[in-house]
Amino acid sequence: MPSNLYDIEPIERYLLGQMEPAERVAFEALLQADEGHRAEVENYRRLFGGFAAIRSEAFRKLALLWEAEADAASDEVELIEWYLNGQLQGPGRNAFEERMLSDEHLAGEVEAYRQLHYGFSAARSEVFRDKLEGWESAKSSPVALKAASRRPLLYRIAAAAAAVLLLAGFGLNWYANSHYSRPALVASYYQPPRSETIMGNDQPTLTTIAQQFTRANELFQKQHYAEAYQAFDGLLGSLPAAGLDKFNHQYFLEQSEWNRLLAAMAMDTPPLDPAGEARRIAGADGHEFQAEAKRLSRQLQSVWYKWAN
Amino acid sequence: MSSYPEDDQLIRQLAAGDEGAWRRLYDDMRSPFRLFFIRYGAMAPEDALNLFQEAMVVLHRNCTGGKIQPPLTSSIKTYLFGIGKILLKKNGVDTRHWDDDIPELPVAPEVESREDQRANAELVRRLLDKIGEPCKRLLELIFVHGYVMDAVAEELELPSAGAARKRKFDCLKKMRDLIVFKT
């Protein structure tokens, strides 16, 4: 049957779910009886499905934009909070605990937040205990004494809260400085060169590069970070023309990039952006220090790093 | 009387394409959705976020396509989480043993594969390019941007909503005839 014999309007209402139940039943009965009508509905279903798909694509882009604006940096903290306050249960809790076993950074964050959690919980209990005592003394004391009894109560509450916060503060400060200060991070990530890796005496420039590398590491180990930075940077500049084999080229490149980053981090005014360079290495598939760079990136974004530096 | 009057009101705003309402829903549901699927599905946090995005897209499609209408028989949150579970089931994850409180949905949300969606979208884009700019613009305003007829008439300087409506059916007919021509 020609398509212009069918009314589009009810077809649209049917496909967009705008029919009342009774009308829908009647319309479906009509379709059952007329193959041409059914085919017509299917044609329009494709059209409306296509429009809906275009609309979904636009919404998906919008949702990605919202996600980019969401505070993703706090997601990890939120996860830790769920774990500590018991909201994360069942298989999710087990998976999180397994992750902690293999992720030292995560375990450290959980421990730090646990201290905060306990500190606030203790402060709350202290305040509540004093509140109970206050109610009790208010019941048993004459009215005239009520006002006078408040001062010591408030004083004790404030003192208790301050003591807990002070203790928590000392603990957190110690944790932040010993794990997240720049010197602590640099020391934890630096690895002295592996001399056995340097092979291939048939490459004339290898000795020069190896000497440059050794010198740069010596400067680093003596904590002459600005000079070490220059030395690693210079070595990276010489590498492309050195004509080393792939193995040695890769070795000196990745070692020097990583150590140059650490030297920059140790300087008061880093000549490159440590967070940006850590992200770059973290994104470089196959880089010897990719895993370390991923961990370092997270640490550079953590509240502890900001606290300690 | 509706069991979820506030959600009924919200679903009307969502169905009308109120972007602010969608944004608020996105922000409100992001955390609880993540917690639910990390907790019961032991999902990695990034996977839970990807699932959330997919579930929101399906919810958007079902809302704007008239598949969810007031009065609701479940809350929007239940509906969204239910979509998440269905998406996981489609990927072969067995959610039957989950000790959760999301009931089986009275109305199963329509979950279409991304490939089918892309193919449908491509077909319509191709046809839109063949029906002339005025028809293309009119149909996009209605079916992609969710304009009501009054707004379409104003935007395209047509004399009335009725005129816009008539034009809409004419343009749809043009597209539909192209489908027949192709097949």
Side-chain angles (χ1 to χ4, degrees):
Chain A
M1 197 180 283
S3 67
N4 52 9
L5 289 182
Y6 299 110
D7 187 359
I8 306 176
E9 195 268 336
I11 295 177
E12 184 194 18
R13 287 195 298 113
Y14 173 70
L15 291 172
L16 298 185
Q18 293 165 353
M19 279 185 172
E20 293 297 323
E23 188 187 5
R24 188 173 186 84
V25 169
F27 189 76
E28 283 173 350
L30 203 65
L31 294 183
Q32 278 294 324
D34 184 344
E35 193 183 339
H37 210 160
R38 279 204 302 279
E40 190 70 354
V41 166
E42 282 317 303
N43 281 326
Y44 280 106
R45 192 190 298 281
R46 288 174 73 187
L47 281 186
F48 290 124
F51 280 120
I54 291 175
R55 208 164 169 175
S56 289
E57 284 177 0
F59 181 76
R60 191 182 297 278
K61 283 181 189 155
L62 208 55
L64 285 174
L65 197 70
W66 295 337
E67 188 51 46
E69 288 169 8
D71 187 13
S74 63
D75 283 355
E76 187 91 324
V77 178
E78 190 177 44
L79 193 59
I80 294 171
E81 196 183 320
W82 292 334
Y83 175 72
L84 291 174
N85 67 21
Q87 281 180 280
L88 188 58
Q89 291 295 334
R93 191 176 186 85
N94 300 338
F96 186 79
E97 285 173 345
E98 274 173 31
R99 221 185 109 198
M100 272 200 294
L101 289 176
S102 60
D103 187 341
E104 199 183 315
H105 167 73
L106 177 65
E109 292 283 300
V110 171
E111 220 28 67
Y113 278 103
R114 194 193 301 277
Q115 286 187 47
L116 268 183
H117 195 71
Y118 285 160
F120 283 122
S121 171
R124 269 200 310 274
S125 299
E126 196 67 32
V127 168
F128 185 65
R129 187 178 298 118
D130 283 334
K131 211 177 260 177
L132 289 179
E133 285 174 15
W135 293 337
E136 194 54 44
S137 58
K139 270 188 181 175
S140 55
S141 305
V143 175
L145 291 177
K146 276 185 183 171
S149 66
R150 283 194 176 183
R151 191 182 291 166
L153 174 65
L154 285 173
Y155 173 78
R156 279 187 293 130
I157 291 170
V164 170
L165 288 175
L166 201 62
L167 277 174
F170 277 131
L172 296 172
N173 205 36
W174 168 83
Y175 175 83
N177 279 314
S178 58
H179 291 81
Y180 287 85
S181 67
R182 280 189 286 142
L185 286 174
V186 169
S188 72
Y189 280 111
Y190 176 71
Q191 292 170 17
R194 304 191 302 269
S195 56
E196 71 275 16
T197 315
I198 303 164
M199 295 179 294
N201 289 334
D202 53 334
Q203 299 172 70
T205 49
L206 181 58
T207 314
T208 317
I209 292 288
Q211 282 168 350
Q212 270 182 274
F213 186 65
T214 305
R215 173 76 186 132
N217 275 289
E218 282 168 2
L219 288 167
F220 193 104
Q221 286 157 15
K222 286 176 188 165
Q223 299 184 0
H224 297 164
Y225 294 119
E227 290 88 341
Y229 176 89
Q230 292 293 342
F232 283 119
D233 197 50
L235 192 154
L236 286 167
S238 324
L239 266 182
L244 299 184
D245 62 78
K246 196 176 169 192
F247 175 83
N248 278 301
H249 179 89
Q250 195 76 3
Y251 171 77
F252 286 117
L253 177 79
E254 292 174 353
Q255 288 275 335
S256 299
E257 281 181 344
W258 181 244
N259 288 341
R260 181 181 63 172
L261 163 62
L262 295 180
M265 268 183 64
M267 293 162 68
D268 290 335
T269 317
L272 56 70
D273 168 27
E277 179 65 356
R279 271 199 305 276
R280 186 189 68 76
I281 297 175
D285 287 337
H287 196 292
E288 186 179 346
F289 294 94
Q290 186 181 31
E292 284 87 348
K294 280 182 182 170
R295 203 163 67 240
L296 178 62
S297 279
R298 286 199 302 269
Q299 287 171 321
L300 294 180
Q301 286 170 9
S302 74
V303 287
W304 304 112
Y305 178 77
K306 290 179 184 93
W307 184 332
N309 299 283
Chain B
M1 167 126 181
S2 170
S3 310
Y4 306 94
E6 284 179 16
D7 279 8
D8 283 351
Q9 177 57 32
L10 177 57
I11 212 83
R12 286 188 192 96
Q13 287 177 271
L14 298 174
D18 181 337
E19 195 177 312
W22 277 107
R23 174 69 197 256
R24 282 192 297 282
L25 183 72
Y26 187 94
D27 290 340
D28 289 348
M29 290 294 143
R30 190 177 179 275
S31 262
F33 190 98
R34 253 167 42 89
L35 173 60
F36 181 86
F37 285 93
I38 290 173
R39 176 176 177 165
Y40 291 106
M43 294 183 81
E46 311 80 66
D47 295 339
L49 263 185
N50 289 338
L51 182 69
F52 173 58
Q53 292 247 326
E54 278 306 309
M56 282 294 290
V57 171
V58 174
L59 180 71
H60 177 266
R61 180 165 188 168
N62 287 351
C63 267
T64 54
K67 295 230 165 45
I68 315 172
Q69 289 182 356
L72 295 175
T73 47
S74 346
S75 70
I76 293 176
K77 182 177 173 181
T78 298
Y79 200 84
L80 180 69
F81 285 24
I83 293 171
K85 284 176 75 175
I86 289 175
L87 287 170
L88 279 185
K89 278 181 192 165
K90 273 180 73 103
N91 289 334
V93 176
D94 184 5
T95 61
R96 280 172 302 179
H97 62 284
W98 289 14
D99 182 24
D100 62 6
D101 54 1
I102 298 295
E104 285 302 314
L105 292 172
V107 181
E110 187 179 287
V111 180
E112 195 179 45
S113 79
R114 286 286 290 276
E115 290 71 27
D116 289 346
Q117 275 196 38
R118 279 194 199 104
N120 280 336
E122 191 45 46
L123 168 78
V124 163
R125 277 203 193 92
R126 237 182 15 245
L127 296 179
L128 280 172
D129 284 339
K130 290 179 181 170
I131 57 173
E133 194 54 37
C135 264
K136 180 182 177 184
R137 175 102 182 98
L138 181 132
L139 292 180
E140 280 180 342
L141 284 178
I142 297 166
F143 293 112
V144 180
H145 303 293
Y147 277 42
V148 294
M149 287 304 148
D150 286 324
V152 174
E154 198 181 321
E155 180 76 20
L156 300 182
E157 297 178 355
L158 294 169
S160 65
R165 193 165 161 276
K166 179 171 182 325
R167 188 73 64 85
K168 175 183 90 170
F169 288 128
D170 290 344
C171 295
L172 274 175
K173 174 84 177 34
K174 265 190 177 183
M175 281 186 85
R176 176 249 174 274
D177 288 345
L178 284 170
I179 292 184
V180 173
F181 178 74
K182 296 244 359 136
T183 51

